[in-house]
């Protein structure tokens, strides 16, 4: 019965609003209610006459700069406000409506319908009720009107009185942050987060801190992620989301056992407190048992229409074995060359009919097109044709696509990246065998089809860096041995991994193997290793050399909350490979390695003294 009333109310209110927009005067609405509105309520004239004045009183009017023109509610013996001529107690006062009328209904419907300058003016009037803004924003987003949703939700959070926010403001906040992320509005996103931290209610501040922690994890900024997590824990100590976030943070940091132990702590604590539904408790129990596998399963399930194809890909990769023979040759100069065979080319062509995206041959990692736009198609086709993985070009495209979507998530490494790494390593073994039997030679990037194997290796090293660190480093070292020119820039990555593992002497040895001029990350890695080994004079020399390469790096490492936007050149912030010596290059190093400087007692204080 209530559902019927809600449908009738919405239909009647929509019709009433259309009538009001044609003529914003009360008599015109009542004429519409008697002539046409009655049919929307099953022929009930009395209900139509009783409902119309209620809706009129809450409708924003453009002729009044979006203020309402509420009617004075008559006393029982006064003339009824529907202009029937009867006393109220014998007219609308005798009508009992089947349910309540939301006090913001006509504002919500108006916000749904207004467009362009009218919508902009209505929002600028600051008259819209917060609940109406929230509901209209959520409805617009569900209908695919992302720009309108952003406009409405911005108005909701632009109010000076944060106490007026509806109870359901947190989903709206999450949606607006998502919209900013999707549309590249990073400044607006950061401003909203700062406003919530400063003015928002407790629950919203906690949610913002959780979101900030996840954003830092997505950017591999572990030090900032840890800081945001601690603040979130202080704000909302009993939030179940914290268990999920802490497990992700610890896995990013490489602390698998601690992630499991902390998940067990959260499970015991929150289950004793009660208030969690069975599904939440089951998730926490699974998280405690195997945090990596649980997060991987959740990540796959969260992919909606891709959940089944991704799960099928994981099952396929479990049974991928061996590495088919490659066409490997030695050039006239004695260097090693991989040549794509006719069969491999045919397999790749078949795969490419579904995959469609083209690898950017001029970049170490990346595509000219978006590979995930039709991912359901190519994932299903690949699982139906596992022989396609015999082609290194297919493996290259698959690995690049997986790295693009899941490369920063450590819990995805065992099921997606490591199985394909074993296949690549089988191919590298064939290359090494050819090298060893003929006493030398390198696998140079720009010869034959070598870039396919090297690019695949780089993507795998990146994809496994967090979740399978030892495997990632071992693969990087094999690639460096085959490509001593370090075409892929793997030396810095290996150095960073050794420093994270506390193998400082080995890190120094690795940093001295390259014949190329040292990069910023290499010099700063050497400085950190020297400092840990208490070779302070050598550490200081490395820092001075790094400062000559990049004058920003010491300040950005030492400041706790520097502004990323300062001193950026045009387009520099979005550059995948920042210019040497740039602010963005220093920021990138800070993001990747500041947590290691923080974890080294006294290192940041010493570094600050070198400035």
């Amino acid at each position: 019965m209530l559902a019927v009333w809600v449908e009738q109310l919405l239909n009647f209110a929509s019709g009433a609003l259309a009538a009001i927009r044609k003529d914003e005067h009360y008599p015109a609405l009542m004429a519409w209610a008697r002539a046409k509105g009655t049919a929307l309520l099953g022929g009930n004239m009395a209900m139509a006459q009783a409902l119309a004045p209620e809706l009129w009183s809450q409708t924003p009017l453009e002729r009044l700069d979006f203020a309402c023109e509420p009617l004075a509610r008559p006393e029982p013996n006064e003339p009824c406000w529907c202009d029937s001529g009867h006393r109220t107690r014998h007219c609308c006062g005798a009508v009992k409506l089947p349910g309540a009328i939301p006090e913001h209904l006509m504002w919500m419907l108006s916000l749904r319908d207004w467009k362009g300058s009218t919508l902009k003016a209505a929002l600028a009037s600051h008259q819209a009720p917060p609940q109406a803004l929230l509901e209209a924003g959520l409805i617009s987003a569900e209908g695919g009107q992302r720009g309108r949703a952003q406009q409405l939700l911005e108005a909701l959070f632009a109010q000076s009185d944060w106490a007026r926010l509806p109870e359901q403001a947190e989903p709206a906040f999450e949606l607006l942050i998502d919209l900013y992320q999707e549309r590249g509005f990073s400044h607006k996103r950061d401003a909203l987060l700062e406003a919530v931290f400063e003015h928002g209610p407790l629950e919203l501040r906690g949610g913002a801190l959780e979101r900030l922690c996840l954003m830092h994890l997505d950017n591999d900024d572990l030090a900032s992620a840890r800081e945001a997590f601690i603040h979130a824990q202080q704000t909302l100590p009993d939030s179940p989301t914290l268990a999920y976030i802490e497990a992700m943070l610890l896995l990013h940091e490489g602390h698998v056992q601690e992630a499991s132990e902390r998940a067990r702590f959260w499970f015991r604590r929150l289950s004793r407190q009660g208030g969690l539904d069975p599904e939440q408790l089951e998730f926490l129990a699974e998280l405690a048992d195997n945090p990596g596998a649980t997060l991987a399963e959740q990540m796959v399930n969260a992919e909606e229409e891709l959940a089944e194809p991704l799960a099928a890909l994981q099952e396929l990769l479990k049974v991928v074995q061996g590495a088919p023979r490659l066409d490997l040759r030695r050039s006239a100069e004695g260097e090693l060359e991989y040549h794509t065979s006719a069969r491999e080319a045919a397999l790749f062509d078949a795969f490419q009919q579904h995959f469609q995206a083209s690898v950017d041959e001029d970049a170490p990692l990346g595509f000219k097109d978006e590979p995930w736009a039709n991912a359901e198609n190519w994932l299903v086709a690949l699982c139906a044709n596992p022989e396609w993985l015999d082609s290194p070009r297919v493996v290259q495209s698959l690995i690049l696509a997986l790295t693009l979507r899941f490369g920063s998530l450590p819990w995805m490494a065992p099921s997606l990246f490591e199985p394909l790494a074993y296949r690549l390593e089988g191919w590298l073994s064939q290359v090494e065998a050819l090298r060893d039997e003929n006493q030398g030679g390198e696998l140079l990037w720009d010869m034959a089809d070598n870039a396919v194997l090297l690019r695949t290796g780089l993507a795998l090293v990146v994809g496994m860096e967090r979740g399978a660190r030892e495997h990632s480093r071992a693969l990087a070292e094999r690639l460096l041995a085959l490509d001593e020119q370090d075409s892929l820039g793997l030396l810095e990555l290996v150095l960073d991994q050794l420093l994270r593992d506390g193998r400082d002497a080995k890190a120094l040895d690795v940093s001295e193997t390259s014949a190329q001029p040292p990069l910023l990350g290499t010099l700063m890695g050497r400085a950190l290793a020297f400092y840990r080994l208490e070779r302070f004079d050598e550490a200081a020399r490395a820092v001075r050399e790094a400062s000559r390469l990049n004058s920003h790096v010491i300040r950005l490492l030492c400041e706790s909350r520097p502004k990323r936007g300062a001193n950026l050149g045009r387009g520099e912030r979005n550059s995948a490979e920042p210019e040497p010596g740039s602010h963005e290059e220093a920021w990138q190093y800070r993001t990747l390695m500041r947590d290691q400087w923080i974890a080294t007692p006294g290192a940041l204080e010493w570094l600050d003294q070198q400035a």
Side-chain angles (χ1 to χ4, degrees), residues 226-334:
R226 171 62 66 181
E227 183 180 353
F229 171 77
I230 291 171
H231 289 163
Q233 194 173 20
Q234 294 167 345
T235 306
L236 291 174
D238 297 323
S239 169
T241 309
L242 290 177
Y244 165 72
I245 292 177
E246 187 172 27
M248 288 196 295
L249 180 57
L250 288 167
L251 289 175
H252 270 277
E253 293 171 338
H255 306 312
V256 178
Q257 184 59 36
E258 189 178 352
S260 182
E261 291 170 358
R262 290 295 297 171
R264 283 195 289 271
F265 160 79
W266 284 106
F267 175 73
R268 290 193 299 269
R269 174 177 175 173
L270 297 175
S271 59
R272 281 199 302 266
Q273 290 178 353
L276 298 182
D277 60 46
E279 286 188 3
Q280 287 177 309
L281 282 174
E282 183 181 0
F283 173 75
L284 288 175
E286 291 174 351
L287 195 65
D289 182 56
N290 190 332
T294 302
L295 291 174
E297 182 179 0
Q298 186 195 49
M299 178 63 64
V300 169
N301 291 337
E303 291 289 334
E304 298 178 354
E305 70 274 7
L306 295 182
E308 286 190 19
L310 282 170
L313 177 63
Q314 289 175 316
E315 291 301 313
L316 169 62
L317 295 181
K318 287 180 182 178
V319 298
V320 169
Q321 294 180 349
R325 296 296 303 175
L326 299 182
D327 181 3
L328 299 173
R329 309 173 194 173
R330 186 174 291 277
S331 70
E333 296 79 16

Side-chain angles (χ1 to χ4, degrees), residues 362-365 572 574-580 582 584 588:
D362 296 325
L365 299 175
E572 184 183 321
N574 295 320
S575 173
E577 295 184 26
E579 289 293 323
S582 66
E584 185 68 1
Q588 189 177 85

